[in-house]
Amino acid sequence: MLYNIVLFLHIVGAVTMFMAMAILALSMLSMLQSKDTENVKRWSGLAVKTDALFPMSSLLILVPGLYLTISTWGWGTAWINVSLAALLGASFLGPVINLRRLKGILAAAEAETEVVPSAALMNKVRDRVLWNSVFVMAMLAVGILFLMAVKLALPGALITMAIAVATGFGLAHFLLGKNRPEASADTVSFR
């Protein structure tokens, strides 16, 4: 019975993390397509608030996961060790890279005086480091979920995470490339 309750908490943590990632991705895509400074402010504010869900979800994943590992699986299980390393890596990206940049976007949007977002603000929204970090983090979570379901040995687990990281970079590149601003005489080209 205890195992099932702990597993349930572990799954709740994963669901919470995926919900937070979905809200963060929606916020970033909405900021990217905003033609109005107020929308950038609104979506960046939501992204900053959503970032608070990541530490809670990481704890809900980590604490029950450690119990399940110690009580049932053991530390010799490759997919668990690779998943733990990926979770810790993704947990590092949130506060160190994402939150700082998202707060910077929010502060810049709050400081804007024009209705149309400035080129400087949109440059912050298009920050490649932020986009890469968010989408690599999301794909690492998908990779962890895959490893939990398939339970691969070390080579397969490492290949899974390499594919997850590459997919995150590719997705960020695709989304930023697809949403390039139009060049005109009175706007700066970002190409």
Side-chain angles (χ1 to χ4, degrees):
M1 177 76 158
L2 179 61
Y3 176 89
N4 292 334
I5 292 170
V6 172
L7 181 60
F8 170 75
L9 292 173
H10 188 63
I11 293 169
V12 166
V15 169
T16 303
M17 181 174 280
F18 276 98
M19 288 184 340
M21 283 184 196
I23 294 168
L24 182 57
L26 173 67
S27 298
M28 290 181 60
L29 288 168
S30 297
M31 283 189 286
L32 188 63
Q33 296 187 359
S34 289
K35 306 285 186 231
D36 169 313
T37 301
E38 192 59 37
N39 281 335
V40 175
K41 190 184 314 179
R42 185 176 307 116
W43 287 109
S44 61
L46 179 61
V48 168
K49 288 176 187 166
T50 299
D51 203 70
L53 291 174
F54 289 111
M56 181 187 71
S57 65
S58 291
L59 276 176
L60 271 174
I61 292 169
L62 189 59
V63 173
L66 290 173
Y67 173 82
L68 295 170
T69 300
I70 292 166
S71 69
T72 306
W73 292 95
W75 290 109
T77 310
W79 69 268
I80 290 175
N81 296 332
V82 171
S83 294
L84 178 60
L87 177 64
L88 293 175
S91 297
F92 170 80
L93 295 175
V96 173
I97 295 176
N98 304 350
L99 185 57
R100 247 179 358 142
R101 284 174 164 77
L102 291 168
K103 283 182 176 179
I105 294 169
L106 178 58
E110 287 173 340
E112 285 281 313
T113 57
E114 300 296 321
V115 173
V116 176
S118 68
L121 174 58
M122 293 313 291
N123 280 337
K124 287 181 178 295
V125 170
R126 288 185 187 87
D127 181 349
R128 279 203 181 279
V129 174
L130 173 63
W131 281 80
N132 286 329
S133 175
V134 167
F135 285 95
V136 164
M137 193 169 110
M139 291 300 103
L140 284 174
V142 171
I144 292 168
L145 189 61
F146 179 78
L147 291 179
M148 287 173 62
V150 180
K151 298 173 177 44
L152 296 174
L154 184 60
L158 292 174
I159 290 169
T160 297
M161 287 301 131
I163 290 170
V165 169
T167 303
F169 280 118
L171 189 56
H173 179 76
F174 172 76
L175 291 170
L176 280 173
K178 190 174 171 134
N179 289 289
R180 289 184 187 169
E182 298 296 321
S184 69
D186 56 337
T187 62
V188 176
S189 174
F190 295 100
R191 296 179 195 193

